[in-house]
Amino acid sequence: MQDSSGRDALPDARWRVRRWMLRGFAATHAIAFGSLLVQLRGLIGDHGIQPAELTLVAWRSHFGSAAPWLLPTLFWWLSTSDAMLILACAAGIALAVLLWIGIAPSLALFGLWLLYLSLCCVGGVFLSYQWDALLLEAGVGAIWLAAGQWRPRDASRVRVPALAFWLLRLLLLRLMWCSGFEKLASGDPTWRGLEAL
């Protein structure tokens, strides 16, 4: 099946699946940034438990000029004030809305990934859980999933690169494998005896 430009159009089911997957990423990011927004000041704000500024100072003093390469965050160049951290979360929510609508999804996803990576790097222990890493890793696959799509009407015309599906499948496989292996390797007799779910 071809569209008016002569390119192969995606079958209805495939582009609908992609659209809803991208909307799922949008909703997940909106929830992640929204929940962080209400906790940010108390956790990594200027007077928080572990201020972002102190994290950057510690990394800079320990690693010197290599620190920005080892801790990739926009906050090396931006202020870590409460206002800037809140602005980063608000920008994340705005990008999630653009992604939901379908406007420039590749750019929106890249922006979401970059903002969340930046916050995770200065978030210390508060943003170093498995789901934070999973959101970042899935975001890379999602960027490829949305490749070449700029407007909502492009969704049915742009082919999804095979790499996108393989990245997301490998991520799912790694998640399932590592989660299962961790439980069995923990030495807990409940898991080893296959008595737990």
Side-chain angles (χ1 to χ4, degrees):
M1 183 162 95
Q2 293 187 334
D3 64 11
S4 59
S5 67
R7 292 183 294 182
D8 288 336
L10 290 174
D12 279 351
R14 287 187 66 195
W15 78 262
R16 283 189 181 132
V17 167
R18 174 172 58 182
R19 180 180 66 192
W20 284 104
M21 281 183 72
L22 292 177
R23 284 186 172 177
F25 280 109
T28 304
H29 279 91
I31 291 167
F33 281 108
S35 67
L36 186 56
L37 182 64
V38 297
Q39 303 174 61
L40 199 63
R41 293 167 83 182
L43 298 176
I44 61 171
D46 292 333
H47 303 291
I49 298 169
Q50 184 182 350
E53 181 64 31
L54 295 182
T55 301
L56 293 180
V57 168
W59 276 77
R60 177 73 76 189
S61 68
H62 193 272
F63 294 106
S65 62
W69 295 101
L70 299 172
L71 190 75
T73 178
L74 293 172
F75 296 108
W76 287 114
W77 301 278
L78 302 174
S79 164
T80 56
S81 67
D82 287 351
M84 188 57 71
L85 294 171
I86 288 169
L87 182 63
C89 284
I93 293 169
L95 286 171
V97 169
L98 288 177
L99 179 58
W100 181 272
I101 295 169
I103 297 173
S106 292
L107 290 177
L109 282 161
F110 179 74
L112 288 166
W113 176 81
L114 187 60
L115 286 171
Y116 204 73
L117 175 66
S118 294
L119 287 165
C120 282
C121 285
V122 296
V125 69
F126 305 114
L127 290 170
S128 61
Y129 293 101
Q130 182 182 18
W131 52 80
D132 296 308
L134 182 62
L135 187 57
L136 289 169
E137 292 176 43
V140 172
I143 291 169
W144 285 96
L145 187 66
Q149 184 182 337
W150 292 97
R151 298 166 304 213
R153 67 177 182 217
D154 292 339
S156 63
R157 293 184 241 176
V158 177
R159 280 213 174 275
V160 179
L163 177 63
F165 289 117
W166 282 108
L167 284 173
L168 293 171
R169 286 178 185 140
L170 288 172
L171 176 62
L172 183 60
L173 176 68
R174 188 190 63 77
L175 176 68
M176 297 304 290
W177 168 259
C178 288
S179 295
F181 181 76
E182 274 297 314
K183 290 175 177 85
L184 294 176
S186 70
D188 186 327
T190 307
W191 286 110
R192 289 218 171 202
L194 302 177
E195 298 168 6
L197 293 176

